[in-house]
Amino acid sequence: GAGVSQSPRYKVAKRGQDVALRCDPISGHVSLFWYQQALGQGPEFLTYFQNEAQLDKSGLPSDRFFAERPEGSVSTLKIQRTQQEDSAVYLCASSEGAVDNEQFFGPGTRLTVL
Amino acid sequence: AQTVTQSQPEMSVQEAETVTLSCTYDTSESDYYLFWYKQPPSRQMILVIRQEAYKQQNATENRFSVNFQKAAKSFSLKISDSQLGDAAMYFCAFWGNYQLIWGAGTKLIIKP
Protein backbone atom coordinates (compact mmCIF):
# COMPACT_ATOMS: atom_id res chain seq x y z
CA GLY A 1 0.00 0.00 0.00
CA ALA A 2 0.91 3.63 -0.19
CA GLY A 3 1.32 4.12 3.53
CA VAL A 4 1.39 2.44 6.91
CA SER A 5 -1.92 0.87 7.85
CA GLN A 6 -3.16 -0.29 11.23
CA SER A 7 -6.10 -2.39 12.29
CA PRO A 8 -8.43 -2.19 13.98
CA ARG A 9 -8.75 1.59 14.13
CA TYR A 10 -10.78 1.32 17.34
CA LYS A 11 -10.87 -1.42 19.92
CA VAL A 12 -12.93 -1.64 23.08
CA ALA A 13 -11.92 -4.35 25.52
CA LYS A 14 -13.14 -5.39 28.91
CA ARG A 15 -10.53 -5.37 31.62
CA GLY A 16 -8.72 -8.69 31.62
CA GLN A 17 -9.21 -9.44 27.93
CA ASP A 18 -6.35 -10.00 25.52
CA VAL A 19 -6.05 -7.78 22.44
CA ALA A 20 -3.96 -7.90 19.26
CA LEU A 21 -3.15 -4.83 17.22
CA ARG A 22 -1.86 -5.14 13.68
CA CYS A 23 0.53 -2.95 11.71
CA ASP A 24 1.22 -3.19 7.97
CA PRO A 25 4.31 -1.10 7.23
CA ILE A 26 5.24 0.41 3.90
CA SER A 27 6.40 -2.40 1.64
CA GLY A 28 10.14 -2.90 1.84
CA HIS A 29 10.67 -0.84 4.96
CA VAL A 30 13.25 -2.45 7.17
CA SER A 31 12.50 -0.74 10.46
CA LEU A 32 9.25 -0.80 12.39
CA PHE A 33 8.39 1.02 15.59
CA TRP A 34 5.52 0.90 18.07
CA TYR A 35 4.53 3.88 20.22
CA GLN A 36 1.91 4.44 22.89
CA GLN A 37 0.17 7.80 23.00
CA ALA A 38 -1.97 8.65 26.00
CA LEU A 39 -4.65 11.30 25.64
CA GLY A 40 -3.12 14.76 25.46
CA GLN A 41 0.44 13.47 25.53
CA GLY A 42 3.24 12.88 23.10
CA PRO A 43 3.97 9.35 21.89
CA GLU A 44 6.20 7.12 23.97
CA PHE A 45 8.48 4.52 22.44
CA LEU A 46 7.53 0.90 23.03
CA THR A 47 9.65 -1.28 20.77
CA TYR A 48 11.70 -1.41 17.57
CA PHE A 49 12.21 -4.09 14.91
CA GLN A 50 14.82 -4.31 12.21
CA ASN A 51 13.37 -6.84 9.79
CA GLU A 52 12.19 -9.70 12.03
CA ALA A 53 14.62 -8.95 14.85
CA GLN A 54 13.32 -7.08 17.86
CA LEU A 55 16.32 -4.90 18.66
CA ASP A 56 14.83 -2.83 21.45
CA LYS A 57 11.87 -3.55 23.68
CA SER A 58 12.88 -1.31 26.52
CA GLY A 59 9.71 0.77 26.28
CA LEU A 60 7.24 -2.07 26.82
CA PRO A 61 5.57 -1.16 30.13
CA SER A 62 5.14 -4.69 31.45
CA ASP A 63 5.42 -8.34 30.55
CA ARG A 64 1.78 -8.20 29.50
CA PHE A 65 2.95 -6.45 26.33
CA PHE A 66 4.42 -8.52 23.55
CA ALA A 67 5.31 -7.61 19.95
CA GLU A 68 6.37 -9.71 17.02
CA ARG A 69 7.26 -9.34 13.36
CA PRO A 70 7.92 -12.93 12.32
CA GLU A 71 8.49 -12.42 8.60
CA GLY A 72 9.95 -8.96 8.72
CA SER A 73 6.85 -7.21 7.38
CA VAL A 74 3.55 -7.20 9.30
CA SER A 75 3.82 -6.70 13.04
CA THR A 76 1.44 -7.47 15.86
CA LEU A 77 1.37 -5.86 19.28
CA LYS A 78 -0.37 -8.06 21.81
CA ILE A 79 -1.55 -6.95 25.21
CA GLN A 80 -2.59 -9.64 27.66
CA ARG A 81 -4.99 -9.16 30.56
CA THR A 82 -5.69 -5.55 29.59
CA GLN A 83 -6.01 -2.95 32.32
CA GLN A 84 -7.58 0.49 32.27
CA GLU A 85 -4.19 2.20 32.18
CA ASP A 86 -3.55 0.49 28.83
CA SER A 87 -6.15 2.77 27.25
CA ALA A 88 -4.30 4.86 24.67
CA VAL A 89 -3.66 5.23 20.97
CA TYR A 90 -1.06 2.79 19.70
CA LEU A 91 0.94 4.14 16.80
CA CYS A 92 3.02 2.15 14.38
CA ALA A 93 5.72 3.67 12.19
CA SER A 94 8.13 2.33 9.61
CA SER A 95 11.29 3.60 8.00
CA GLU A 96 13.17 2.56 4.91
CA GLY A 97 16.60 1.65 6.15
CA ALA A 98 18.20 0.12 9.17
CA VAL A 99 19.56 3.44 10.32
CA ASP A 100 17.27 5.73 8.38
CA ASN A 101 15.43 7.91 10.81
CA GLU A 102 12.55 9.40 8.83
CA GLN A 103 9.56 7.49 10.10
CA PHE A 104 6.18 7.19 8.43
CA PHE A 105 3.25 6.74 10.75
CA GLY A 106 0.02 4.82 10.56
CA PRO A 107 -3.31 6.26 11.74
CA GLY A 108 -3.11 4.45 15.07
CA THR A 109 -5.38 2.12 16.98
CA ARG A 110 -7.40 3.68 19.78
CA LEU A 111 -7.72 1.14 22.58
CA THR A 112 -10.29 1.70 25.30
CA VAL A 113 -10.30 -0.68 28.25
CA LEU A 114 -13.48 -0.65 30.31
CA ALA B 1 18.76 10.43 29.24
CA GLN B 2 17.43 12.57 26.46
CA THR B 3 14.45 14.79 27.15
CA VAL B 4 12.35 17.08 24.98
CA THR B 5 10.39 19.99 26.43
CA GLN B 6 7.63 21.97 24.75
CA SER B 7 6.64 24.72 27.15
CA GLN B 8 3.60 25.97 25.23
CA PRO B 9 0.58 23.67 25.64
CA GLU B 10 -1.45 25.86 23.29
CA MET B 11 -0.80 28.67 20.84
CA SER B 12 -3.15 30.67 18.67
CA VAL B 13 -2.46 32.80 15.63
CA GLN B 14 -4.46 34.84 13.20
CA GLU B 15 -4.73 33.38 9.72
CA ALA B 16 -1.92 34.67 7.43
CA GLU B 17 0.27 35.70 10.36
CA THR B 18 3.44 34.08 11.68
CA VAL B 19 3.75 31.92 14.77
CA THR B 20 6.74 30.32 16.51
CA LEU B 21 6.54 27.13 18.52
CA SER B 22 9.26 26.48 21.09
CA CYS B 23 11.19 23.30 21.83
CA THR B 24 14.20 22.62 24.01
CA TYR B 25 15.99 19.33 24.49
CA ASP B 26 18.70 17.79 26.58
CA THR B 27 21.30 15.32 25.36
CA SER B 28 24.95 14.49 25.74
CA GLU B 29 25.22 13.29 22.15
CA SER B 30 26.87 15.41 19.49
CA ASP B 31 25.29 13.83 16.43
CA TYR B 32 21.53 13.55 16.32
CA TYR B 33 18.43 14.62 14.45
CA LEU B 34 15.52 16.82 15.44
CA PHE B 35 12.03 16.76 14.01
CA TRP B 36 8.78 18.60 14.05
CA TYR B 37 5.72 16.45 13.45
CA LYS B 38 2.15 17.56 12.92
CA GLN B 39 -0.83 15.56 14.15
CA PRO B 40 -4.20 16.79 12.83
CA PRO B 41 -7.42 15.67 14.50
CA SER B 42 -7.44 12.55 12.28
CA ARG B 43 -4.38 11.55 14.36
CA GLN B 44 -2.01 10.52 11.53
CA MET B 45 1.40 11.90 12.40
CA ILE B 46 3.00 13.80 9.53
CA LEU B 47 6.62 14.92 9.30
CA VAL B 48 6.86 18.70 8.92
CA ILE B 49 10.58 19.31 8.95
CA ARG B 50 13.83 17.79 10.19
CA GLN B 51 17.25 19.08 11.11
CA GLU B 52 20.57 17.25 11.27
CA ALA B 53 22.55 18.45 14.26
CA TYR B 54 25.81 18.61 12.30
CA LYS B 55 24.32 21.10 9.86
CA GLN B 56 24.52 24.71 10.94
CA GLN B 57 22.08 25.89 8.30
CA ASN B 58 18.50 25.99 9.50
CA ALA B 59 16.12 23.68 7.64
CA THR B 60 13.30 25.19 5.60
CA GLU B 61 10.25 23.61 3.96
CA ASN B 62 8.06 26.12 2.19
CA ARG B 63 6.25 28.10 4.95
CA PHE B 64 7.94 26.12 7.71
CA SER B 65 11.39 26.91 9.03
CA VAL B 66 13.37 26.16 12.15
CA ASN B 67 15.70 28.13 14.37
CA PHE B 68 18.24 25.59 15.54
CA GLN B 69 20.54 26.75 18.32
CA LYS B 70 22.75 23.77 19.12
CA ALA B 71 24.63 25.31 22.02
CA ALA B 72 21.39 26.39 23.66
CA LYS B 73 19.72 23.07 22.74
CA SER B 74 16.81 24.93 21.25
CA PHE B 75 14.82 23.98 18.17
CA SER B 76 11.87 26.27 17.43
CA LEU B 77 9.45 26.02 14.51
CA LYS B 78 8.28 29.08 12.63
CA ILE B 79 5.14 28.90 10.53
CA SER B 80 4.71 31.80 8.13
CA ASP B 81 1.46 32.83 6.46
CA SER B 82 -0.56 30.55 8.75
CA GLN B 83 -3.41 28.70 7.11
CA LEU B 84 -6.51 27.05 8.54
CA GLY B 85 -5.08 23.67 7.56
CA ASP B 86 -2.14 24.25 9.88
CA ALA B 87 -4.38 23.72 12.91
CA ALA B 88 -3.10 20.61 14.68
CA MET B 89 -0.95 19.32 17.51
CA TYR B 90 2.72 19.91 16.84
CA PHE B 91 5.31 17.65 18.39
CA CYS B 92 9.02 18.22 18.64
CA ALA B 93 11.07 15.01 18.64
CA PHE B 94 14.68 14.02 19.15
CA TRP B 95 16.20 11.04 17.39
CA GLY B 96 18.85 9.11 19.19
CA ASN B 97 19.74 5.45 19.65
CA TYR B 98 16.99 4.29 17.31
CA GLN B 99 14.33 5.96 19.43
CA LEU B 100 12.30 9.07 18.89
CA ILE B 101 11.92 10.99 22.14
CA TRP B 102 8.88 13.24 22.00
CA GLY B 103 7.76 16.44 23.62
CA ALA B 104 4.28 16.79 25.07
CA GLY B 105 3.05 18.79 22.10
CA THR B 106 1.66 22.24 21.35
CA LYS B 107 -1.89 22.68 20.15
CA LEU B 108 -1.96 25.29 17.38
CA ILE B 109 -5.21 27.15 16.82
CA ILE B 110 -5.70 29.22 13.70
CA LYS B 111 -8.14 32.11 14.00
CA PRO B 112 -9.93 32.96 10.73
Side-chain angles (χ1 to χ4, degrees):
Chain A
V4 179
S5 61
Q6 293 185 245
S7 61
R9 291 292 311 277
Y10 303 91
K11 176 69 178 178
V12 178
K14 291 183 179 179
R15 191 174 58 178
Q17 284 185 332
D18 298 348
V19 298
L21 313 180
R22 177 187 170 105
C23 173
D24 284 82
I26 293 173
S27 178
H29 275 197
V30 169
S31 300
L32 185 145
F33 305 82
W34 283 99
Y35 297 91
Q36 181 189 59
Q37 186 176 22
L39 187 65
Q41 302 292 321
E44 291 194 3
F45 170 82
L46 292 177
T47 187
Y48 158 61
F49 290 86
Q50 182 178 314
N51 295 309
E52 68 278 5
Q54 189 174 21
L55 298 189
D56 189 342
K57 57 180 181 179
S58 62
L60 296 176
S62 77
D63 59 6
R64 296 185 296 104
F65 286 70
F66 172 76
E68 59 183 4
R69 194 186 184 198
E71 297 180 357
S73 55
V74 171
S75 177
T76 303
L77 176 67
K78 297 179 180 178
I79 308 173
Q80 298 177 326
R81 304 180 305 281
T82 53
Q83 300 178 5
Q84 285 188 324
E85 59 262 33
D86 300 334
S87 296
V89 174
Y90 290 85
L91 298 172
C92 175
S94 68
S95 65
E96 187 173 2
V99 295
D100 189 283
N101 48 39
E102 182 167 350
Q103 297 182 20
F104 297 86
F105 284 79
T109 294
R110 180 184 294 276
L111 173 65
T112 302
V113 181
L114 303 177
Chain B
Q2 292 97 354
T3 59
V4 177
T5 302
Q6 293 179 251
S7 59
Q8 305 155 316
E10 185 174 297
M11 291 283 286
S12 62
V13 62
Q14 205 72 34
E15 191 177 4
E17 293 189 348
T18 296
V19 64
T20 298
L21 308 184
S22 301
C23 174
T24 58
Y25 60 94
D26 190 23
T27 184
S28 58
E29 298 183 20
S30 59
D31 191 17
Y32 49 87
Y33 294 78
L34 294 162
F35 300 85
W36 278 98
Y37 278 89
K38 169 185 178 181
Q39 190 175 41
S42 67
R43 301 201 72 86
Q44 189 137 11
M45 201 75 77
I46 304 166
L47 178 66
V48 175
I49 198 166
R50 75 170 179 172
Q51 174 81 41
E52 291 92 338
Y54 64 86
K55 289 187 177 179
Q56 294 188 354
Q57 186 174 6
N58 288 326
T60 299
E61 289 286 345
N62 300 313
R63 297 183 295 108
F64 299 86
S65 62
V66 299
N67 183 5
F68 174 47
Q69 302 289 331
K70 191 173 184 179
K73 296 180 181 175
S74 171
F75 182 62
S76 61
L77 174 70
K78 186 172 81 171
I79 305 174
S80 303
D81 185 26
S82 298
Q83 300 175 3
L84 293 178
D86 295 334
M89 286 291 293
Y90 285 80
F91 292 95
C92 177
F94 170 98
W95 168 263
N97 196 28
Y98 296 103
Q99 293 188 18
L100 268 178
I101 310 299
W102 299 78
T106 296
K107 182 178 181 180
L108 180 63
I109 299 168
I110 311 295
K111 298 178 181 177

